[in-house]
Amino acid sequence: MSLRLSTVILPYRRWHEGSRAAWVRAEELGFHTGYTYDHLSWRSFRDGPWFGAMPTLTAAAAVTDRMRLGTLVTSPNFRHPVTLAKELISLDDISGGRVTLGIGAGGTGFDATALGQEPWTPRERADRFAEFVPLLDRLLTEDAVSYEGDFYAAHEARNIPGCVQRPRLPFAVAATGPRGLRLAARHGQAWVTTGDPKLYENGTPEQSVHALRGQTERLADACAELGRDVTELDRILLTGFTPDRGRPLESLDAFVDFAGRHAELGFTEIVIHWPIPDSDFAADQKVFERIAMEAPAQLR
């Protein structure tokens, strides 16, 4: 299978001041999926403009026809499965069945405290995630759901007519730990990673490849425990968080080399950030577009 190339467009611009044009251009360039972050704000963008993921993707659905759309990633930090399910079913309908839900356990950033709560510990995040994903699965596949858990509840929640995609829209589960990888193996149609965060500052690209190989092997083990073939899952690498940082976007050759090394690990989709000037995601727009148009053919 050819390696898919996708992009993630951060929602930091007003729709009619650059955001709309980026989504339209992404489809023109042939990206497989256009993702956006599902945060209330994010890191260095916290004190600037930042827009909601679901309205942004709804607008993107209205100006595109072929490109898939998705989140990288949604988390329980400020989401509830019942309300999220309703939004996803609506978005899947508006887009004509083009939505993928990237979903993860969340972190300790702005999202973790914006609703006034104390940040959850890693154990608490894992516990909530383990309850969130199966409940969301049910909400997207059953007409009516009642559930009482440790963290979430649903009382005769109705989700008719369900997703356009059957039995539901695909989950791309972000995980590196054992519990998260088991969730990906059980409920995911794809698995997402950004690499090993401990290597970002001082690691090497070679160490990163080694760490990613270990993650893919643990995913295979989690699938084997459930009697599932790991090749049934797409494996997605969200770039920009490995020691390579922005170097793969410096030239077409650099990207093809980077993507080829990761395709050898079993990755089926590489996601690159739409260039943002004066940020960690700064890149030459012309080089970026050349990569989008020419790299896929070299990676078949």
Side-chain angles (χ1 to χ4, degrees):
M1 183 174 64
S2 299
L3 184 68
R4 297 173 181 144
L5 183 57
S6 298
T7 189
V8 57
I9 301 172
L10 270 60
Y12 75 101
R13 292 184 291 186
R14 291 189 182 276
W15 184 248
H16 294 292
E17 295 177 0
S19 185
R20 180 188 187 280
W23 287 94
V24 171
R25 184 59 177 156
E27 179 164 86
E28 292 173 347
L29 291 169
F31 282 110
H32 176 265
T33 304
Y35 297 99
T36 197
Y37 287 4
D38 188 14
H39 293 297
L40 297 174
S41 188
W42 191 76
R43 298 188 185 180
S44 61
F45 296 88
R46 176 173 176 173
D47 294 321
W50 190 270
F51 295 92
M54 296 304 169
T56 295
L57 291 173
T58 302
V63 298
T64 59
D65 297 305
R66 304 174 305 279
M67 183 173 67
R68 291 192 62 81
L69 307 166
T71 56
L72 278 185
V73 294
T74 295
S75 82
N77 267 344
F78 63 94
R79 295 288 187 185
H80 190 284
V82 170
T83 52
L84 177 60
K86 186 66 69 176
E87 292 187 3
L88 290 170
I89 287 172
S90 302
L91 178 58
D92 196 49
D93 180 67
I94 292 166
S95 69
R98 290 186 285 136
V99 176
T100 296
L101 177 72
I103 186 166
T108 58
F110 182 67
D111 293 348
T113 58
L115 300 186
Q117 76 271 31
E118 291 296 317
W120 300 324
T121 66
R123 174 66 180 271
E124 288 172 324
R125 291 199 301 273
D127 288 344
R128 287 176 179 270
F129 194 42
E131 192 172 301
F132 193 104
V133 173
L135 176 54
L136 184 62
D137 191 341
R138 288 188 59 197
L139 289 160
L140 293 173
T141 54
E142 300 176 23
D143 288 347
V145 174
S146 292
Y147 172 83
E148 188 72 39
D150 293 330
F151 306 105
Y152 303 104
H155 179 66
E156 296 184 2
R158 298 295 200 274
N159 283 305
I160 301 169
C163 295
V164 172
Q165 301 174 85
R166 294 293 181 174
R168 59 157 168 78
L169 55 81
F171 289 178
V173 180
T176 55
R179 295 177 69 188
L181 289 171
R182 285 195 293 271
L183 281 175
R186 184 177 298 278
H187 297 283
Q189 284 65 56
W191 164 69
V192 183
T193 183
T194 57
D196 185 342
K198 296 190 294 294
L199 297 175
Y200 180 72
E201 292 293 341
N202 300 307
T204 66
E206 292 73 22
Q207 289 173 321
S208 178
V209 167
H210 179 74
L212 285 166
R213 181 179 292 108
Q215 291 179 8
T216 60
E217 290 171 351
R218 291 192 291 276
L219 176 68
D221 291 341
C223 286
E225 289 177 11
L226 295 173
R228 187 175 184 187
D229 184 348
V230 70
T231 61
E232 294 178 4
L233 276 75
D234 285 321
R235 279 140 286 167
I236 303 171
L237 175 64
L238 174 59
T239 65
F241 302 100
T242 66
D244 308 88
R245 305 196 185 189
R247 287 191 291 275
L249 297 184
E250 290 179 354
S251 70
L252 174 62
D253 288 345
F255 179 77
V256 169
D257 177 69
F258 171 87
R261 283 186 282 118
H262 291 83
E264 291 175 356
L265 299 178
F267 284 97
T268 59
E269 184 175 341
I270 301 287
V271 184
I272 56 178
H273 286 81
W274 195 268
I276 302 175
D278 303 317
S279 78
D280 289 341
F281 305 124
D284 185 290
Q285 186 71 30
K286 291 182 179 179
V287 173
F288 175 85
E289 295 199 2
R290 187 182 178 203
I291 288 169
M293 291 185 289
E294 299 182 29
Q298 296 190 34
L299 294 164
R300 287 176 183 157

